């Protein structure tokens, strides 16, 4: 019998109480137990970034965190992030610039990009590439993704100014 | 792949962690940020019977500054160290290294103690700790002890930590006037482990270096102090001849084994490139 543990956490603002196997990672918990399949799983060792989401407001790899460790945490998945409206401009820019093809990397990429935009960093290609360096995309060749993020970062500049 | 089965315990305090480790013996393993251990579990390279999660021990996450210097707690996240104003001011070497460690999402979870306890010879923080003369604080069933960084790293994934012990953090000496740090690493892609890197700390006075600690990483089984290089520059004007002599001295300082990222010959070459760039930076450094 695999050991189980009770956890209580917030997922996209809603409280979830569940009993889970202790070895279950957060990505699999969200996908398999909560049917939130927007969190993608690629490598399961932290390298590809497909599983990136927010825990307590910070982006993390959900394949490298146990569901048990999310007890008491506030988790936001791509479903919640999209519904919040926070990334509407990024989503539009991704579509306009063809910054996705198969879409496998996109949820993680959007979390990393949102992090960059929210920090009000300037539309600097080098800095954007560096910030997204932990997210693999096997389709686009990255140029269009950097274009999209820079466009939104530049719009933000006209609104509020950068750090 | 998925992690194997294990039992899971949360440690609520240092004493509780030591007690849990003692109770479960050698089959227990500490879980900190999980950014190295979780991949090892998912690959089934690590198969601990019990994971002792130390994340609830809030005290261990502190970064404290006092007269003695700076203490970085084992559970301080890479991102917290990266964004700490105190670290930027007191430990500019560490501040320069942080953005080079992995990627933002990994730095949000990965911890100082995990990076040091892992003992990966390609990691940035161990080299910084050696260059700055940090002392590791360790708790165990028999009480606490300190180990200087130069003695802590004992080989590939091997440190002075004994089974049942918990790394509490590291004490860095207070910043000394006149000392200047430099950090540089060469990677194929930002955030990857370095092919070769170095952390340097030394006294710079009128263009001359003394008491230089020039510590390489990813060129051996642990951080490697380039003693010949330091002797070659000690007290000399940092001109082309001195820098050539310093780079030549690396022949005896380093014997890098090749790895997946670079052959031994390439690593030797890159170590020279790094030394030259960093010494040139020292030579042109304005103000101290
Ligand atoms: C894609 C990727 C890229 C990375 N790139 C880099 C890089 O460029 N440079 C780099 O340095 N690191 C890199 N890392 C590793 C990262 O920095 C890890 O966070 C770090 O090495 C381990 O810290 P952790 O807190 O995650 O430890 P964990 O993974 O939780 O633990 C690591 C080991 O240390 C032990 N341990 C942890 N804390 C303690 C303690 N307080 N006392 C005693 N033992 C303890 C654990 O039992 C385990 O054996 C990368 C990781 C990934 C996934
Ligand atoms: S699935 Fe988590 S980083 Fe690849
Ligand atoms: S769009 Fe296919 S992996 Fe990025």
């Amino acid at each position: 019998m695999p050991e189980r543990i009770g956890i209580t956490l917030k997922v996209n603002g809603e409280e979830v109480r569940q009993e889970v196997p202790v070895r279950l990672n957060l990505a699999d918990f969200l996908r398999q137990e909560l049917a939130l399949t927007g969190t993608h799983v690629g490598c399961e060792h932290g390298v590809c970034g497909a599983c990136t989401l927010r825990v307590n407001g910070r982006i993390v790899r959900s394949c490298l965190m146990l569901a048990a460790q999310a007890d008491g945490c506030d988790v936001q998945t791509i479903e919640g992030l999209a519904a919040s409206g926070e990334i509407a401009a990024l989503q539009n820019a991704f579509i306009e610039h063809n910054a996705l093809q198969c879409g496998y990397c996109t949820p993680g990429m959007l979390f990393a990009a949102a992090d960059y935009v929210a920090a009000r960093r300037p539309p600097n290609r080098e800095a954007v590439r560096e910030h997204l360096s932990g997210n693999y995309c096997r389709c686009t060749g990255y140029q269009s993704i950097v274009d999209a993020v820079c466009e939104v970062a530049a719009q933000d500049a006209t609104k509020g100014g950068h750090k | 792949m998925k992690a194997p089965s294990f039992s899971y315990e949360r440690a609520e305090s240092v004493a509780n962690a030591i007690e849990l480790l003692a109770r479960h013996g050698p089959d227990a393993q500490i879980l900190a940020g999980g950014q190295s251990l979780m991949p090892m579990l998912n690959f089934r390279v690590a198969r601990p019977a019990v994971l002792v999660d130390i994340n609830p021990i809030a005290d261990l996450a502190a970064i404290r500054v006092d007269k003695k210097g700076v203490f970085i707690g084992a559970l301080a996240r890479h991102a917290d160290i990266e964004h700490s104003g105190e670290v930027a001011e007191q430990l500019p070497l560490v501040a320069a290294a942080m953005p080079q460690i992995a990627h933002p999402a990994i730095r949000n979870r990965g911890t100082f103690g995990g990076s040091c306890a892992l003992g990966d010879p390609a990691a940035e923080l161990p080299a910084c700790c050696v260059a700055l003369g940090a002392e590791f604080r360790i708790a165990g069933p028999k009480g606490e002890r300190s180990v200087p960084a130069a003695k802590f790293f004992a080989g590939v994934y091997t440190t002075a930590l004994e089974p049942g012990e918990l790394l509490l953090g590291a004490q860095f000496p207070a910043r000394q006037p006149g000392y200047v740090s430099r950090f540089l690493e060469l990677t194929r892609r930002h955030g990857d482990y370095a092919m070769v890197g170095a952390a340097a700390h030394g006294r710079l006075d009128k263009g001359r270096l003394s008491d230089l600690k020039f510590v390489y990483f990813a060129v051996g089984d642990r951080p490697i102090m380039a003693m010949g290089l330091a002797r070659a520059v000690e007290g000399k004007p940092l001109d082309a001849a001195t820098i050539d002599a310093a780079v030549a001295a690396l022949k005896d300082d380093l014997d890098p084994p090749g790895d997946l990222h670079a052959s031994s010959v390439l690593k030797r070459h890159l170590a020279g490139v790094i030394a030259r760039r960093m010494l040139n930076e020292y030579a042109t450094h304005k103000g101290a």
Side-chain angles (χ1 to χ4, degrees), chain A residues 53-86:
Chain A
L53 45 68
R54 279 185 191 152
V55 174
N56 294 341
R58 285 178 161 197
I59 56 169
V60 303
R61 301 287 205 240
S62 57
C63 72
L64 298 187
M65 199 170 158
L66 298 171
Q69 293 184 293
D71 184 44
C73 291
D74 191 345
V75 174
Q76 189 180 36
T77 70
I78 192 65
E79 290 87 348
L81 182 66
S84 75
E86 179 188 331

Side-chain angles (χ1 to χ4, degrees), chain A residues 100-106 136-140:
Chain A
L100 65 156
Q101 288 176 29
C102 78
Y104 205 81
C105 68
T106 312
Y136 280 180
C137 176
R138 299 284 81 158
C139 302
T140 64

Side-chain angles (χ1 to χ4, degrees), chain B residues 139-213:
Chain B
K142 285 179 246 145
E144 287 192 19
R145 64 188 182 113
S146 288
V147 178
K151 294 222 169 92
F152 182 82
F153 300 101
V156 180
Y157 298 123
T158 309
T159 68
L161 285 168
E162 301 282 345
E165 286 188 322
L166 173 75
L167 181 61
L168 299 175
Q171 176 68 48
F172 292 85
R175 189 173 180 179
Q176 289 168 276
Y179 278 71
V180 176
S181 302
R182 281 289 173 264
F183 184 90
L184 184 64
E185 70 176 49
L186 299 173
T187 53
R188 292 195 190 275
R189 184 182 65 134
H190 185 90
D192 285 353
Y193 276 104
M195 290 191 282
V196 179
H201 187 65
R203 204 168 104 82
L204 186 64
D205 186 25
K206 302 190 184 71
R208 290 166 197 248
L209 273 169
S210 54
D211 191 23
L212 178 64
K213 306 284 188 293

Side-chain angles (χ1 to χ4, degrees), chain B residues 213-225:
Chain B
K213 306 284 188 293
F214 201 98
V215 182
Y216 277 97
F217 51 99
V219 297
D221 66 349
R222 67 193 86 181
I224 308 282
M225 178 103 69

Side-chain angles (χ1 to χ4, degrees), chain A residues 46, chain B residues 29-30 32-37 78 102 106 110-111 114-115 117 123-124 167 193:
Chain B
Q29 193 162 6
I30 293 169
Q35 304 301 290
S36 296
L37 185 51
H78 297 329
I106 289 164
T111 67
S115 275
E124 290 83 355
L167 181 61
Y193 276 104

